Amino acid sequence: KFEEIISIYKVLYDTKDFYEDWNPYHIDIDDFKELIKCGGNDYWCDQILLNIIKNILNVNFIILNNNEITNEYYYYPISYDYNENHKTIILLYENDIHFKLIGHFNDNNMITLFTKETIPNEIIKLIESR
C-alpha cells in the first residue's frame, strides 16, 4: 500500500494542501515506517493511516467533531460503516488538526477500547442519527 499512500500525499503536496515537514517525493518505505513510529510533529495521523490501521486490527474508528460555538459534538463521517462486531476506538478530531483519544475512567482504569456492550449509548445515537 506504500505506493498508493504516497501517491495521495504527492497529490496533496502538489496542490499545496500538504502540511507535513517531510516531502512525499523524497521518502522510501523504510523511512516512512520510521516516520510513522516516531512521536512528535513529523507525521500527524490522518484518515489514510486510520483506514489502514482499522483494516489490520479489525477495529472501528468513530471520529467525533465539535462545534466550538455551541459546544455540541457530532459524528464525523468517514468512508466506512460502523461494525458492531468489531471493537471500537473513539477519537475527537480537535481543531480540524489532530485526533485525540477518547475514553472514560472505570475503577482507576482508562477505558479506550469499546465493545458493542460497552460503547456509550450517546455515541451509538450519534452514529445512527447521521
Side-chain angles (χ1 to χ4, degrees), residues 5-19:
I5 295 167
I6 291 302
S7 67
I8 294 168
Y9 289 137
K10 286 177 181 178
V11 169
L12 293 170
Y13 185 88
D14 291 343
T15 59
K16 310 232 183 304
D17 198 20
F18 186 79
Y19 303 104

Side-chain angles (χ1 to χ4, degrees), residues 1-126:
K1 298 248 179 204
F2 173 74
E3 291 301 325
E4 292 174 43
I5 295 167
I6 291 302
S7 67
I8 294 168
Y9 289 137
K10 286 177 181 178
V11 169
L12 293 170
Y13 185 88
D14 291 343
T15 59
K16 310 232 183 304
D17 198 20
F18 186 79
Y19 303 104
E20 306 289 342
D21 290 335
W22 54 276
N23 187 325
Y25 285 99
H26 301 120
I27 195 165
D28 62 25
I29 190 167
D30 293 325
D31 290 339
F32 186 67
K33 287 178 183 178
E34 287 303 313
L35 187 68
I36 292 170
K37 289 192 290 186
C38 293
N41 293 327
D42 291 332
Y43 182 86
W44 288 56
C45 184
D46 55 22
Q47 290 186 10
I48 297 167
L49 187 58
L50 284 178
N51 196 41
I52 291 169
I53 294 168
K54 174 194 112 29
N55 290 332
I56 291 171
L57 299 179
N58 289 319
V59 297
N60 295 304
F61 281 106
I62 294 176
I63 301 173
L64 303 177
N65 206 338
N66 73 318
N67 181 325
E68 293 181 19
I69 296 170
T70 64
N71 203 28
E72 294 178 321
Y73 291 85
Y74 58 90
Y75 178 69
Y76 187 85
I78 44 184
S79 60
Y80 55 86
D81 291 327
Y82 170 74
N83 183 334
E84 69 177 22
N85 297 314
H86 292 167
K87 292 186 178 178
T88 300
I89 297 169
I90 303 171
L91 302 171
L92 173 63
Y93 188 44
E94 189 172 62
N95 299 323
D96 294 330
I97 297 175
H98 64 91
F99 299 104
K100 184 184 279 187
L101 183 62
I102 301 293
H104 69 86
F105 281 102
N106 185 1
D107 295 328
N108 294 325
N109 292 318
M110 177 61 85
I111 307 299
T112 57
L113 187 62
F114 300 94
T115 64
K116 69 179 179 180
E117 292 82 22
T118 62
I119 192 167
N121 289 333
E122 294 83 0
I123 302 298
I124 296 300
K125 288 177 186 175
L126 286 174

